[in-house]
Amino acid sequence: MREWKKYIRKVTPYTPGEQPNKENMVKLNTNECPYPPTPKVDEIMNNFNTDLLRLYPSPDVGPLVRAIAHYYGVSEKQVFVGVGSDDVLGMAFLTFFNSEKPILFPDITYSFYDVWAELFRIPYQMIPVNEQFEINVDDYNIPNGGVIFANPNAPTAIEMPLESIEKIIQNNQDSIVIVDEAYSDFGTVTARDLLPKYENLLVTGTFSKSRAMAGARIGFAIGSEELITAMQNVKFAYNSYTMNQPAILAGVEAINDDAYFREIRDKIVKTRENAKKKLAEMGFEGTESRTNFLFVTHKTVPAKEIFDFLKSKDIYVRYWNKPRINNYLRITIGTDEEMERLYQALAEIL
Amino acid sequence: MREWKKYIRKVTPYTPGEQPNKENMVKLNTNECPYPPTPKVDEIMNNFNTDLLRLYPSPDVGPLVRAIAHYYGVSEKQVFVGVGSDDVLGMAFLTFFNSEKPILFPDITYSFYDVWAELFRIPYQMIPVNEQFEINVDDYNIPNGGVIFANPNAPTAIEMPLESIEKIIQNNQDSIVIVDEAYSDFGTVTARDLLPKYENLLVTGTFSKSRAMAGARIGFAIGSEELITAMQNVKFAYNSYTMNQPAILAGVEAINDDAYFREIRDKIVKTRENAKKKLAEMGFEGTESRTNFLFVTHKTVPAKEIFDFLKSKDIYVRYWNKPRINNYLRITIGTDEEMERLYQALAEIL
């Protein structure tokens, strides 16, 4: 065997949800937004001056950083922008988690955390959530090289109160604590409120869910200037220009149109609350979701059976054959019409 | 000091060329294309269905991978696409360069190579090019953990013949050899011709120069299926969706419109050949460029002085205050009109 084969980095990649492309499918499997982005994005795209494409974009992603900073009322130096929150989180792992002590995260959470840890050879320890899938704050009171959790957590959809988050941060003043808020726009507390008090706190967000822009690949982190500067340096040591011109320009429009954001977010929350009732009537039980998806199990019918049946009807939801959650489904909130098709299909199998 | 500060990754980031934005400036400093992308890109962008943005893009970048594979006559499994060739090269370093032996590259070359090596803590050894800035093939005949060089090299613009490239590969059958061909479209040999013979060869390219798409962030690598699969795995362990919808759709148009590509490439080559004569007449000496830029030094006036003077006239070229090349300028080939303004300004200072 040639020696170079020995030195290829071995990884077990993250498996993203399917991206099927069928007419009339109901796609409730990757937590995308069922509504299009703001019409302002249409305007920007359809009047796009393509001569812009011949030049490199602004390496500091200036216009988008400024728009995000303004929206969240923080300084520009507190904002990092990347190619989706996966790029932002991956960059954060590479930048911050270089201790020999393990980083900590829940055993049931976004399944990319252990993938990044393996990729960058960061030691890690998964902390089991309790039987109700809740994070126990005191479990994070052990020596560690960093802490990361999602709030609300995924795929459980459970929100942790701000006091609990703050307690984790207080107990971990020697570590960087990352709160992944991909879903916090759907009506939860935000750890951004704690930023003025803790310079070891990083809060990440995404345009992929509440801003209907998964296809534009925009994520961001907000933290102390010290943390953001460190991430910028690592980013500039990897790729000077990560955000392309369309993402920068469309992203600015998406963050600026707050009225549209609230409108679609409120619609999704309303549909979600209705879905909770409907599914409960059909014999589902689940967590108290504060996200754009539900995490449910059926009293009698196995999740895998429901998953397969729905798929045969071109209705896609998410199922993991993993310990503890292998009888659960994660169902993204779609439009009312899409949910109606889901209910009809469920009525058939139940 | 809080312990977390100790574990922040320390890096010296790459410094990209300035991206000034002045009216009437002549921007010859970052090797962008002076012509816009193909009108087909206009069409795609200006008829963009923004509802596409709410969905995640195809994680395998299918349409663009297929278009590139078709264009270069290779299998889809031999093509990796990333966010500019920096993303592609960075990912290649992370995937392939995990030996304890140093990787090798020229001392004068793209100044990102040592930045990636430092970022990922890869040992490296810079091999001096000769007095004419040429790579000596036999210098790469020492134990190593990988080899990377640009052909044509940057910022020297010098082309290495295919036989020399092949000799380096033959001498390094236990290493992965990466040939960075960011500039090979401007009339040089390509190491892609060697791919059928060597499974340890990876050749990278970009849409940023010859395809006028620096602002879209598209780069690619072509290699054996084994190398490409390894890179895909690492990519999927970092970010499932790196290429956004506009980049995928516009990229397909850019690679498919070969007639337009040849038209603007030929224009640039013609302007370059003319620029060589003009600058020689003005007392410049330089390498035999086969790229979209010239690497020149003046017989009497110091490069830094010329650089500063041009900048005061809003004409941007590139200068590095680095050993061996600190009396050279790298001048991107612009339109004939832009070059005329350059010649006029040079006439003033010389």
Side-chain angles (χ1 to χ4, degrees):
Chain A
M1 187 179 85
R2 286 294 180 184
E3 201 174 304
W4 56 264
K5 299 192 188 218
K6 278 202 321 209
Y7 297 114
I8 289 180
R9 187 170 292 257
K10 302 293 178 299
V11 291
T12 310
Y14 172 79
T15 311
E18 276 181 276
Q19 292 296 337
N21 188 9
K22 290 189 174 179
E23 263 186 85
N24 290 317
M25 70 175 174
V26 176
K27 191 168 181 306
L28 307 175
N29 70 331
T30 53
N31 295 344
E32 288 143 334
C33 180
Y35 305 106
T38 156
K40 307 265 184 191
V41 168
D42 271 288
E43 239 170 84
I44 276 285
M45 294 298 287
N46 295 332
N47 295 293
F48 197 86
N49 171 12
T50 59
D51 191 46
L52 267 182
L53 290 181
R54 89 185 165 77
L55 299 176
Y56 284 99
S58 106
D60 62 0
V61 201
L64 187 49
V65 163
R66 280 191 288 280
I68 293 172
H70 180 256
Y71 185 81
Y72 289 114
V74 296
S75 133
E76 286 171 34
K77 292 182 179 161
Q78 290 184 266
V79 176
F80 178 90
V81 170
V83 181
S85 64
D86 287 347
D87 180 37
V88 173
L89 287 164
M91 207 56 87
F93 272 56
L94 183 60
T95 307
F96 300 126
F97 294 161
N98 299 294
S99 162
E100 277 163 26
K101 282 179 268 183
I103 61 167
L104 310 179
F105 48 85
D107 64 337
I108 296 173
T109 190
Y110 186 33
S111 42
F112 227 128
Y113 300 157
D114 56 324
V115 173
W116 286 312
E118 297 275 358
L119 173 66
F120 296 126
R121 295 166 184 175
I122 300 163
Y124 63 95
Q125 186 179 338
M126 291 176 167
I127 311 284
V129 294
N130 70 16
E131 284 303 307
Q132 289 73 48
F133 299 126
E134 292 158 347
I135 290 171
N136 178 13
V137 165
D138 292 330
D139 292 346
Y140 291 79
N141 208 352
I142 54 176
N144 65 69
V147 175
I148 179 165
F149 55 89
N151 194 50
N153 199 8
T156 64
I158 297 172
E159 177 185 19
M160 188 167 24
L162 204 58
E163 307 78 65
S164 305
I165 298 174
E166 184 159 13
K167 205 168 158 208
I168 291 181
I169 301 168
Q170 278 170 345
N171 289 344
N172 286 284
Q173 283 297 295
D174 276 316
S175 297
I176 286 168
V177 177
I178 301 178
V179 184
D180 172 355
E181 292 196 355
Y183 299 102
S184 74
D185 278 339
F186 298 98
T188 66
V189 298
T190 168
R192 286 190 309 272
D193 292 344
L194 301 172
L195 285 169
K197 289 165 75 176
Y198 302 102
E199 65 171 346
N200 60 325
L201 169 64
L202 190 81
V203 184
T204 62
T206 177
F207 283 33
S208 299
K209 319 293 179 185
S210 55
R211 292 184 194 276
M213 299 269 277
R217 313 308 302 124
I218 303 172
F220 60 93
I222 303 183
S224 59
E225 281 187 28
E226 184 168 358
L227 297 195
I228 297 302
T229 302
M231 284 185 73
Q232 296 284 18
N233 286 344
V234 168
K235 175 227 131 106
F236 274 107
Y238 181 73
N239 188 356
S240 312
Y241 310 94
T242 53
M243 306 302 293
N244 66 13
Q245 295 281 20
I248 295 173
L249 295 177
V252 168
E253 298 302 323
I255 193 97
N256 282 348
D257 193 349
D258 198 44
Y260 183 83
F261 160 74
R262 286 170 190 273
E263 181 192 325
I264 62 173
R265 194 233 1 228
D266 291 351
K267 265 161 62 175
I268 291 164
V269 167
K270 199 172 154 201
T271 306
R272 177 186 75 200
E273 295 307 311
N274 188 45
K276 283 181 189 169
K277 280 190 217 122
K278 282 277 193 182
L279 293 183
E281 285 163 22
M282 290 177 149
F284 283 96
E285 290 170 341
T287 57
E288 187 52 42
S289 165
R290 295 269 183 250
T291 63
N292 70 337
F293 60 87
L294 300 179
F295 190 60
V296 293
T297 184
H298 194 267
K299 283 176 193 160
T300 54
V301 188
K304 180 66 166 60
E305 223 167 276
I306 301 173
F307 171 79
D308 288 335
F309 176 77
L310 290 175
K311 196 167 171 178
S312 75
K313 299 268 171 186
D314 287 341
I315 299 174
Y316 294 85
V317 301
R318 194 89 193 260
Y319 170 77
W320 289 271
N321 188 13
K322 279 188 177 178
R324 300 191 73 183
I325 61 170
N326 59 9
N327 200 25
Y328 277 79
L329 296 173
R330 191 192 69 182
I331 304 173
T332 305
I333 302 300
T335 61
D336 287 328
E337 296 68 34
E338 288 173 319
M339 299 309 280
E340 211 50 61
R341 275 188 57 195
L342 171 74
Y343 307 143
Q344 281 164 19
L346 287 174
E348 279 184 58
I349 187 179
L350 299 174
Chain B
M1 187 179 86
R2 286 295 180 183
E3 202 174 304
W4 57 264
K5 300 193 187 216
K6 279 201 320 209
Y7 297 114
I8 289 180
R9 187 171 293 257
K10 302 293 177 299
V11 291
T12 309
Y14 172 80
T15 310
E18 275 181 277
Q19 291 297 334
N21 189 9
K22 290 188 175 180
E23 263 187 85
N24 290 318
M25 67 176 177
V26 176
K27 192 168 180 307
L28 307 175
N29 69 331
T30 52
N31 294 345
E32 289 143 334
C33 180
Y35 304 106
T38 155
K40 306 264 184 193
V41 168
D42 271 289
E43 239 170 83
I44 275 286
M45 293 298 287
N46 295 333
N47 295 292
F48 198 86
N49 170 13
T50 58
D51 191 46
L52 267 183
L53 290 180
R54 88 186 166 77
L55 299 176
Y56 284 99
S58 104
D60 62 1
V61 201
L64 187 49
V65 163
R66 280 191 288 279
I68 293 171
H70 180 257
Y71 185 81
Y72 289 114
V74 297
S75 132
E76 287 171 35
K77 291 181 180 161
Q78 290 184 266
V79 177
F80 178 90
V81 170
V83 182
S85 64
D86 287 347
D87 180 37
V88 173
L89 288 164
M91 207 57 87
F93 272 56
L94 183 61
T95 306
F96 301 127
F97 294 160
N98 299 294
S99 162
E100 277 164 25
K101 283 179 264 182
I103 61 167
L104 311 179
F105 48 85
D107 65 336
I108 295 174
T109 190
Y110 185 32
S111 42
F112 227 128
Y113 300 157
D114 56 324
V115 173
W116 286 312
E118 297 275 358
L119 173 65
F120 296 128
R121 296 166 183 174
I122 301 163
Y124 63 95
Q125 186 179 339
M126 291 175 167
I127 311 283
V129 293
N130 70 16
E131 285 304 307
Q132 290 73 46
F133 300 127
E134 293 157 347
I135 290 171
N136 178 12
V137 165
D138 293 331
D139 293 345
Y140 292 79
N141 209 352
I142 54 175
N144 64 70
V147 175
I148 178 165
F149 54 89
N151 194 52
N153 199 7
T156 65
I158 297 172
E159 177 185 19
M160 188 168 23
L162 204 56
E163 307 78 64
S164 305
I165 298 174
E166 184 159 14
K167 204 167 160 211
I168 291 182
I169 301 169
Q170 278 170 346
N171 289 343
N172 286 283
Q173 283 297 294
D174 275 316
S175 297
I176 286 168
V177 177
I178 302 178
V179 185
D180 172 355
E181 292 197 356
Y183 300 102
S184 73
D185 278 339
F186 298 97
T188 67
V189 299
T190 167
R192 285 191 308 273
D193 293 345
L194 302 171
L195 284 169
K197 290 165 75 177
Y198 302 101
E199 63 170 347
N200 60 325
L201 168 63
L202 190 81
V203 184
T204 63
T206 177
F207 283 33
S208 298
K209 319 292 180 187
S210 55
R211 291 183 195 276
M213 299 269 277
R217 313 308 303 122
I218 303 172
F220 60 92
I222 303 183
S224 60
E225 282 188 29
E226 184 169 358
L227 298 195
I228 298 301
T229 302
M231 285 184 73
Q232 295 285 18
N233 287 343
V234 168
K235 174 229 132 104
F236 274 108
Y238 181 74
N239 188 356
S240 313
Y241 310 95
T242 53
M243 306 302 292
N244 66 14
Q245 295 281 21
I248 295 174
L249 296 178
V252 168
E253 298 302 323
I255 193 94
N256 282 347
D257 194 349
D258 198 43
Y260 182 83
F261 160 74
R262 286 170 190 274
E263 180 192 326
I264 62 173
R265 194 236 357 232
D266 292 350
K267 265 161 59 173
I268 291 164
V269 168
K270 198 173 154 200
T271 306
R272 177 188 74 199
E273 295 307 311
N274 189 45
K276 282 181 190 169
K277 280 190 216 122
K278 282 277 192 183
L279 293 183
E281 284 163 23
M282 290 177 149
F284 282 96
E285 292 170 339
T287 57
E288 187 50 43
S289 167
R290 294 267 183 253
T291 63
N292 69 338
F293 60 88
L294 300 179
F295 190 60
V296 293
T297 184
H298 195 267
K299 285 176 190 159
T300 53
V301 188
K304 180 67 165 60
E305 222 168 276
I306 301 174
F307 171 78
D308 288 334
F309 176 78
L310 290 175
K311 195 167 170 179
S312 76
K313 300 265 172 190
D314 286 342
I315 299 174
Y316 293 85
V317 300
R318 194 88 193 260
Y319 170 77
W320 290 270
N321 188 12
K322 279 190 177 174
R324 302 190 71 183
I325 60 170
N326 59 9
N327 200 25
Y328 277 80
L329 296 173
R330 192 193 68 184
I331 303 173
T332 305
I333 302 301
T335 61
D336 287 327
E337 296 68 34
E338 289 173 320
M339 299 309 281
E340 212 47 63
R341 276 189 55 194
L342 171 74
Y343 307 143
Q344 281 165 18
L346 287 174
E348 279 184 58
I349 187 178
L350 299 175

